[in-house]
Amino acid sequence: MKNILLICFKEFKGYFVSPIGYAVMALFGLIFGFGFYTATRDMVQLGFRAQMMGQQQPMSVNEQVIRPLLGFAGTIMLFLIPMITMRLVAEEKRTGTIELLLTSPIRDIEIILGKWLGALLLYMCVLGMSVINIAMLFMWGKPDLKPVLVAYLGLLLQGACLLAIGTFVSTTTRNQIVAGGVTFFVSLLLWLLSWFTAFESTVLSKVINYLSIVTHMENFSKGVVDTKDVVFYLSMIFFSLFLTSRSMESLRWRA
Amino acid sequence: MIKVEGLTKRYARTVAVDNISFEVEKGQIVGFLGPNGAGKTTTMRVLTCFLPPTAGTASVAGFDVLEHPMEVKRRIGYLPETPPLYPEMEVSEYLKFVGQLKGISSADIAKRVDQVVGRCAVGDVRNKLIGKLSKGYRQRVGLAQAIIHNPEVLILDEPTSGLDPKQIIEIRELLKSLAGDHTIILSTHILPEVENSCERVIIINQGKLVAIDSVANLTNRLRGSEAVALEVEAPDGHPDPSEVQQRLEVVSGVSRVVMKDSRNGRLIFEVESLQGRHIRAELARTVVNSGWNLNELRPVGLSLEDIFLQLTATDKGAGGSHAPQEVEGAGK
């Protein structure tokens, strides 16, 4: 446990010594802020219009602003997560520091978990940027808190899952650009799987649909915690980290 | 302390290390010598549990590298060929990180960092980013990293590469001060390195053990033999180099003949003798009897470098006559 935290904090600190940490947070803040602005503006305009027409339309901040906005946050993360994970192991392989880690009295799994948790910590910071905007809605409105928390839980699980995939990809190459690119396309593929099968109901399409990362996000964004989705994310994380540990082990006989 | 038996490491197509066995006793400094690509790094990587051996066993302090890697890793300090440094960390921060990685408790860590910083003379850069350091400092930080947990065994892969002569001397002094409580294996392809700091030498070439002996014995062996530079000229101006070489090689007592140069019909050879044989008179006679002119005949000193070349040259011609001796040496 001590070793895991040691690696975790080393990675986390490393993000802020290089520009990556700041870049990822700034990019996210900017794009999310833009999304927040348009979503709130549209909602306010819609509210005015409804009032002028004399209609009593039910308005919900949760449904009309927060839900699409947090879905949007997930989409942005799809682009940012490869930037977070690409250096994790690839960089160590390139500079040879992996030799230090692998010849230290520390187990492979501790290295992997440490790196993944370090990345997760940065991811949480990035996600934290959106809290600033969402908090404003709570200051001037009365949205429901619980579905927001559930949506964040979903984003966290989804991010953890993509980060685990990214960590795995990073162990397979010594080139950061390749690691980032492959991670992005794998995540994109998992994201788009639901498109191919939206109107089919064969067993195969159901399986493919199940593997899509977004379909499992839907319930969370509605404010529903379904065990099925939690199990999906946890098993994806477990599976990716398992692949990572296999891949780390293979470094020893391929090196 | 270190015991290697029948160690073999095969990569996809090549055999990097082929059935090597040796033992190193506690407190010794051993030089691991060989040309580039001889298998030095691979052997070291097996000893540090970075690579598993294909066959054979290796153990450090009684712990097998495959069965108890954790125990082995705890007892080993390792400096790879390129020091494993994080350029974005400060020196002291890095040493603290490595120290914790090696299992030093947080109570002792600051003290240990201070000690190794002093010992490796990196005090004046301890708050600098590693990425900004010169090669010499990086190498020393790498060394500091290897000794931070006061390991019983130190494995150093070319510890003096890239250093200036003054720094090399400093590293040598440091290594000598570490010997005694630490067992040290250092690899190098620079020979004076070994002459100066090692008690024993292990020479490998193309993955095979060529010689294992004390430095003193190796130097003695070379004092026993003699090397002669020879300039031969044919009266017709066109001597046949291979014919001359052949005639020289069959002179009794000659172990190795190398053609160094040829210009204007003059051939310059270097001839080495077997141990305790005097060959100059016989060489002169051979040349003259063959109808060539003997322009020059002069003794040259044999250095450890020559011995090394002799031992690691691919066996062909007279060079091979040394081989039985080495096998005998390895058995000691």
Side-chain angles (χ1 to χ4, degrees), chain A residues 60-254:
Chain A
S60 156
V61 182
N62 278 92
E63 280 303 308
Q64 282 169 292
V65 180
I66 298 180
R67 193 175 149 194
L69 210 50
L70 290 183
F72 181 52
T75 317
I76 306 172
M77 287 305 186
L78 179 69
F79 293 87
L80 296 183
I81 280 174
M83 287 176 70
I84 297 179
T85 56
M86 64 183 190
R87 62 185 277 276
L88 280 178
V89 186
E91 173 80 353
E92 306 241 16
K93 279 174 80 173
R94 191 180 61 80
T95 60
T97 44
I98 193 79
E99 220 166 330
L100 170 69
L101 295 181
L102 292 184
T103 56
S104 292
I106 166 172
R107 279 176 308 181
D108 288 3
I109 192 69
E110 292 174 318
I111 301 174
I112 295 163
L113 284 177
K115 284 183 173 289
W116 175 67
L117 284 175
L120 193 60
L121 219 54
L122 177 70
Y123 175 80
M124 284 159 83
C125 291
V126 176
L127 205 55
M129 300 283 286
S130 67
V131 175
I132 305 171
N133 292 326
I134 302 292
M136 284 186 211
L137 295 176
F138 279 90
M139 283 165 76
W140 285 287
K142 284 194 226 37
D144 215 353
L145 180 63
K146 272 184 198 153
V148 178
L149 292 181
V150 170
Y152 269 111
L153 176 69
L155 278 175
L156 188 68
L157 282 170
Q158 182 190 294
C161 174
L162 292 175
L163 287 169
I165 293 171
T167 313
F168 165 62
V169 174
S170 187
T171 56
T172 58
T173 172
R174 58 176 58 210
N175 186 324
Q176 288 193 43
I177 309 292
V178 172
V182 172
T183 307
F184 175 70
F185 281 105
V186 170
S187 324
L188 194 66
L189 196 68
L190 287 174
W191 198 272
L192 297 183
L193 279 181
S194 61
W195 288 15
F196 299 124
T197 58
F199 303 107
E200 288 175 47
S201 58
T202 58
V203 180
L204 181 69
S205 71
K206 273 182 186 160
V207 171
I208 294 179
N209 207 35
Y210 177 78
L211 285 176
S212 168
I213 297 235
V214 248
T215 46
H216 294 276
M217 192 59 208
E218 271 159 24
N219 281 332
F220 283 106
S221 63
K222 282 179 204 152
V224 179
V225 183
D226 191 334
T227 338
K228 188 183 77 185
D229 303 320
V230 178
V231 166
F232 169 79
Y233 283 128
L234 291 182
S235 54
M236 278 295 269
I237 292 170
F238 180 81
F239 179 63
S240 302
L241 292 180
F242 171 74
L243 284 182
T244 315
S245 82
R246 296 277 93 180
S247 166
M248 279 282 250
E249 208 176 288
S250 81
L251 288 185
R252 291 179 186 277
W253 48 262
R254 281 191 315 182

